[in-house]
Amino acid sequence: IALADSGLDANHECFYDPARPQVQVVEQGQTRPPDPTHRKVVNYWRFTGDTGDAEGHGSHVGGTLACDNAILGGSGNEEGQGMAPRARLSFTDLAVGAYFPVPSISDVTAIFENGYADGARIHNESWGEFQPEPKYTEMTRAIDDAMWRHKDMLVVVANGNGLRVGPPATAKSIVSVGAETLSVGPTLD
C-alpha cells in the first residue's frame, strides 16, 4: 500500500522492525529499490527534509491501513490491527514538522510513480485542497492521469473535511468514501 501523508512514526509498535530499526529513507528526486527486509516500510520517501510525524495524522492513517502490533508483542489486540496487517507501506512524507501542505502537481506525479515502483497497487490519500465547492482541479487531473497510466492501481481518497467533498476526492477514477452525517455510535453507522 502506498500512502502520502504528514509523516510516519517508524518507532511505533505498528511499524517498528527490531531487525531493521531504521527505515530506508529516499530523498525527493532520488530513486531506490524497495527494501525487502523491513517488515512494514519498503521506502520512506522524504519530500520535505524531515522524518517522523509531529502532526500524527500519517501514523494514524498508516496504522488504520496496515498496523501489525501483534508481531512485536504489542497489545496484540485484534481491534488494534489495521485493515491489512500483513501489508507493507511505501510512505511519502509531505509535512515539515507539524506543517502539512498540499503537494504540488509535480509532486503528485512523483508520489504515485514512487509508490507504483515500490510495488504498491493501492494508494491512499487522506489530504486535499480546500475548495468551497467541489471542483475538478489540476490536482485531480494529475491523479486521474496516474490511474490512466497504471490501470492496475487503485487510488482511495478521503472525501474531505467538514462534510464537504473536495479535491482530490473529485477525481473521476478514484474511490472516495465519506459520511453524510456525523456518527454518534455503532447503532447509527
Side-chain angles (χ1 to χ4, degrees), residues 17-37:
D17 185 344
R20 292 205 29 100
Q22 298 296 315
V23 296
Q24 177 170 275
V25 176
V26 187
E27 301 296 335
Q28 184 176 13
Q30 296 180 338
T31 60
R32 185 168 292 164
D35 179 356
T37 62

Side-chain angles (χ1 to χ4, degrees), residues 105 129 131 134-143 167-168 170-171:
I105 302 306
E129 298 175 271
Q131 297 283 340
K135 291 183 179 179
Y136 191 76
T137 66
E138 291 293 320
M139 170 101 39
T140 52
R141 183 173 295 113
I143 292 172
T170 54

Side-chain angles (χ1 to χ4, degrees), residues 27-70:
E27 301 296 335
Q28 184 176 13
Q30 296 180 338
T31 60
R32 185 168 292 164
D35 179 356
T37 62
H38 195 280
R39 75 175 191 96
K40 274 292 155 192
V41 182
V42 298
N43 266 328
Y44 190 105
W45 299 92
R46 183 165 55 186
F47 274 36
T48 57
D50 71 351
T51 56
D53 192 12
E55 210 261 348
H57 192 266
S59 297
H60 171 79
V61 173
T64 299
L65 293 170
C67 180
D68 183 8
N69 60 0

Side-chain angles (χ1 to χ4, degrees), residues 18 21 23 28 38 46 68 84 88 109 123 133 151 168 172:
V23 296
Q28 184 176 13
H38 195 280
R46 183 165 55 186
D68 183 8
R88 294 175 23 165
T109 300
H123 212 294
E133 299 292 327
K151 293 181 176 38
K172 299 174 183 179

Side-chain angles (χ1 to χ4, degrees), residues 72-109:
L72 296 177
S75 65
N77 181 345
E78 288 186 13
E79 293 178 10
Q81 299 290 294
M83 292 182 288
R86 299 288 184 233
R88 294 175 23 165
L89 297 174
S90 170
F91 191 89
T92 302
D93 187 338
L94 300 175
V96 178
Y99 175 61
F100 184 14
V102 173
S104 69
I105 302 306
S106 61
D107 285 349
V108 168
T109 300

